[in-house]
Amino acid sequence: MNEHEGTILYWGCSADSVTLEVQRLIELLISSHKEPIDEEEPVIYENDREQLLAELGQWLRQQLKHPTEQKSVPEHFVLAGELNTEKIPFLLQCETPDAHRIRSKELNKLLESYFGEEIMLIPVGEQEWLFLGDEQIVTGEAEDDTTEARKELLNAFCQGLYELVASEWAGVFHLSASLPCMPAEQLSTVTALLQESIHLGRSFHVVQHIHLPWDMHLERLVASIPEQQRLRFIQETGKGTTLFNDSETLATLETFFNLDCNVSETAKRLFIHRNTLVYRLDKIKQEIGYDVRNFESAVLVRLLLLMYKVTKKL
């Protein structure tokens, strides 16, 4: 046995070549080498609030295992009415080296400095947290009291929050958020939505780290389509093209769609001449027969690109 690597060497031989005495000796050696089972050390909480949030995280994990049976938060978790007031939920998932793993206390301190108030930090999993912020802090400065205005402010807030976390710790981080909800009634439902948004974002947009639910409608639709049907769509609509394997073409289409198919703005964002972009779009048209400057063709190519990503694992 290699204790440092956790590996075991084993070998075999014919049964009649091992005497009873040798067999017992081998069994004795193996049993004497077994390490005693370490008893889990009890978790020590600094205060009742920390313990209650940890228990709420355990309850939430159980709810997420059975999404069709999601319930309201039990009354004994309602912390001084905090879950009965509208909050903006955020979900943070981290992939950090073992030497740089994030502790809840450290994260809580950083988040409270960013929010400027006490927050509810709920551990959902290994290096995964749900936290709830006051709506006024995030979207209170919206000039227009519209959903779109709140979404824009929330997106900007997430950008700043992501940059703060990424500058503090080493690793890869993914962040999602939702519009205000009533945690006591919607905590498990909205957490499932945020987890799904991060999963979709990581599948379809590998270079992005902020994944908001309202940006994932098409991705959610494509992910629900069986793989065989996606392959058929790629073959019939995209003619089995390998066009998306070209990083330049992929970046061009992504930017073009993100900027609402605006040729001038796309050329500026890509730092290329407008005629260069037109040449690339014409090349795409020649390859698959669709002019993405046309609305119907743009929709088809957008769907084709998403299906190709999730099917071909780009």
Side-chain angles (χ1 to χ4, degrees), residues 124-274:
V124 179
E126 190 72 22
Q127 297 290 281
E128 180 181 21
W129 293 270
L130 178 77
F131 48 97
L132 306 173
D134 193 322
E135 177 185 3
Q136 291 301 315
I137 293 177
V138 181
T139 63
E141 298 180 359
E143 296 181 359
D144 300 322
D145 187 20
T146 63
T147 300
E148 289 305 314
R150 288 195 292 269
K151 286 179 179 179
E152 290 181 8
L153 279 176
L154 186 52
N155 181 47
F157 190 89
C158 286
Q159 292 286 347
L161 180 57
Y162 168 79
E163 291 174 5
L164 176 66
V165 173
S167 65
E168 190 72 17
W169 289 288
V172 179
F173 306 93
H174 295 275
L175 179 67
S176 186
S178 177
L179 291 173
C181 71
M182 193 69 71
E185 302 172 359
Q186 302 169 280
L187 191 66
S188 57
T189 303
V190 76
T191 303
L193 174 65
L194 298 182
Q195 284 185 335
E196 180 192 33
S197 298
I198 290 180
H199 173 72
L200 291 172
R202 296 177 68 169
S203 299
F204 289 96
H205 309 291
V206 294
V207 298
Q208 297 181 18
H209 300 279
I210 298 174
H211 317 286
L212 302 174
W214 48 84
D215 292 333
M216 297 292 164
H217 296 309
L218 279 178
E219 288 83 350
R220 189 173 293 109
L221 173 64
V222 170
S224 68
I225 300 174
E227 184 176 359
Q228 289 302 317
Q229 292 187 25
R230 293 199 300 264
L231 288 170
R232 181 178 177 183
F233 184 86
I234 293 171
Q235 186 64 36
E236 295 179 353
T237 307
K239 302 176 183 178
T241 180
T242 57
L243 181 68
F244 300 138
N245 284 331
D246 179 57
S247 59
E248 182 181 87
T249 301
L250 187 62
T252 299
L253 286 172
E254 289 278 16
T255 307
F256 186 67
F257 291 137
N258 288 338
L259 295 176
D260 298 325
C261 302
N262 187 305
V263 174
S264 298
E265 290 299 320
T266 302
K268 290 180 183 178
R269 181 68 61 85
L270 294 173
F271 302 103
I272 60 176
H273 193 276
R274 191 178 190 278

